[in-house]
Amino acid sequence: MTQIKHAIMNLVNAADSIAITTHLNPDGDGYCSALALQRILHCLGKGSVIWMDNDDLSRYAFLDDGVPSEVRIFTEQQLAPSYDLAFVLDCNSYDRIGARRILLDNAKSTVMLDHHMVEHNPIETDLSLVEPHYVSVGAILHELFKAEIASQDSHDKIYIGNCLYTTMLNDTNNYANANTDAAVFYLAAELTTLGIKPYQLYKEFFLNHSADEMRYVGQTLATIELHQDRKVLFMHSTLKMSQENGIDPESVMNITRWVQGVRGLDAIVYFCEEEPGRFKLSLRSIKLDVNKIAVQYGGGGHTKASGCTIDGSLAEIKAKLLQDLRAALANK
Ligand SMILES: [Mn+2]
């Protein structure tokens, strides 16, 4: 760690221009670790630019402390600027970075900080720290820069602490995922001594819904029906429901999170009407490989959580899925 820290500091000190980027559809680790790194660099006297796609990042507005962050939207058409140093965070595969790859290709030096297993099409960088035992890239940044963070004034310390804590909230799902270990709680305690308020961050990150969104969620939950001996849960939302509540379904955290953990279920399917006669499906199961079902309809994801889009009436699509799930359960 000391060696790589030294090498990173040499690159930072030599750089007049620095870019930071992360994977496509940035999450609370990718984006908040980028914000934390930008502030750390700022405290070291170095400016930087965070490059994102045109994603809705308003969910992270609670981190804003009045010091402007430098976040720009990258478009494929624009001429990619060439930086002395480019960081890529929370990602180690070219498959997950899309067109922003050119920022790395054009940079004089590159550094990768990540905690995923290296699988397909790995990104080549001058320096890389890919350590799957860290809970988040935020935790890696803390390990690298804790001395620098501790020596800042309380305003910057709290900002960086808030960003790093949010990376842990995201990647442990508020300490509910299996990656929650003692190191996670030690880091949470260290960040708390910097002056952050965990209860506030939890509220801002996980409970920050509008009343309209909650009404929409409630109406969706009211459609719950059980099939297959109460082992399969179906629920749906319609365009009419999203319009009445002034909600963009894309901007709502996936409603399946509200039924995860319901007793006695083998599978959950949420049907969300995207346009008339077209439904986006979210499939969840701890028992079945729902990815196999989603793939049949041109979708995909993971074995326990997958999705697809199907054209047809709600009744037709439900009947199809019920048939698929019945077959999958029979094979178990
Ligand atoms: Mn992560």
Side-chain angles (χ1 to χ4, degrees), residues 23 27-30 90-91 114-116 135-138 167 170-171:
H23 52 82
D27 61 1
D29 187 22
D90 201 32
C91 170
D114 188 31
H115 67 138
H116 294 95
V135 72
S136 64
V137 172
T167 72
N170 187 82
D171 280 12

Side-chain angles (χ1 to χ4, degrees), residues 251-268:
S251 70
V252 176
M253 257 198 270
N254 198 306
I255 296 180
T256 56
R257 71 191 287 263
W258 299 98
V259 288
Q260 257 154 28
V262 169
R263 268 199 304 275
L265 295 180
D266 286 338
I268 293 167

Side-chain angles (χ1 to χ4, degrees), residues 107-300:
K108 284 193 198 132
S109 309
T110 48
V111 176
M112 172 160 70
L113 303 176
D114 188 31
H115 67 138
H116 294 95
M117 306 294 279
V118 180
E119 276 170 34
H120 189 244
N121 210 359
I123 296 175
E124 284 175 39
T125 52
D126 298 304
L127 283 178
S128 87
L129 186 59
V130 180
E131 293 283 356
H133 68 271
Y134 281 94
V135 72
S136 64
V137 172
I140 296 178
L141 286 176
H142 181 265
E143 189 66 38
L144 284 170
F145 295 108
K146 56 181 141 192
E148 287 78 6
I149 297 167
S151 64
Q152 300 313 314
D153 64 25
S154 73
H155 187 92
D156 286 321
K157 257 199 288 211
I158 289 177
Y159 176 84
I160 296 166
N162 284 343
C163 292
L164 298 183
Y165 191 83
T166 305
T167 72
M168 285 206 296
L169 282 182
N170 187 82
D171 280 12
T172 64
N173 186 26
N174 196 38
Y175 311 107
N177 290 348
N179 59 357
T180 305
D181 58 11
V184 166
F185 287 115
Y186 281 119
L187 178 51
E190 278 196 59
L191 297 176
T192 306
T193 59
L194 294 179
I196 69 158
K197 301 260 189 302
Y199 77 96
Q200 270 178 1
L201 294 167
Y202 168 72
K203 201 170 138 215
E204 296 286 2
F205 190 59
F206 284 110
L207 305 178
N208 188 11
H209 312 289
S210 68
D212 291 328
E213 183 182 332
M214 289 313 294
R215 195 185 310 104
Y216 175 71
V217 170
Q219 289 172 356
T220 303
L221 296 178
T223 70
I224 285 178
E225 51 191 53
L226 295 170
H227 300 279
Q228 288 300 108
D229 216 10
R230 301 177 68 84
K231 290 195 177 308
V232 170
L233 183 151
F234 280 2
M235 62 182 183
H236 68 267
S237 52
T238 61
L239 278 177
K240 188 166 173 273
M241 281 155 58
S242 52
Q243 282 156 4
E244 271 173 9
N245 291 299
I247 288 294
D248 170 12
E250 290 275 314
S251 70
V252 176
M253 257 198 270
N254 198 306
I255 296 180
T256 56
R257 71 191 287 263
W258 299 98
V259 288
Q260 257 154 28
V262 169
R263 268 199 304 275
L265 295 180
D266 286 338
I268 293 167
V269 187
Y270 165 47
F271 307 78
C272 176
E273 191 177 21
E274 281 194 325
E275 44 188 274
R278 167 165 293 188
F279 286 81
K280 187 175 160 191
L281 276 58
S282 304
L283 294 88
R284 302 285 183 271
S285 177
I286 41 168
K287 188 172 178 184
L288 305 172
D289 181 354
V290 286
N291 193 50
K292 274 191 189 157
I293 299 176
V295 165
Q296 285 175 40
Y297 298 101

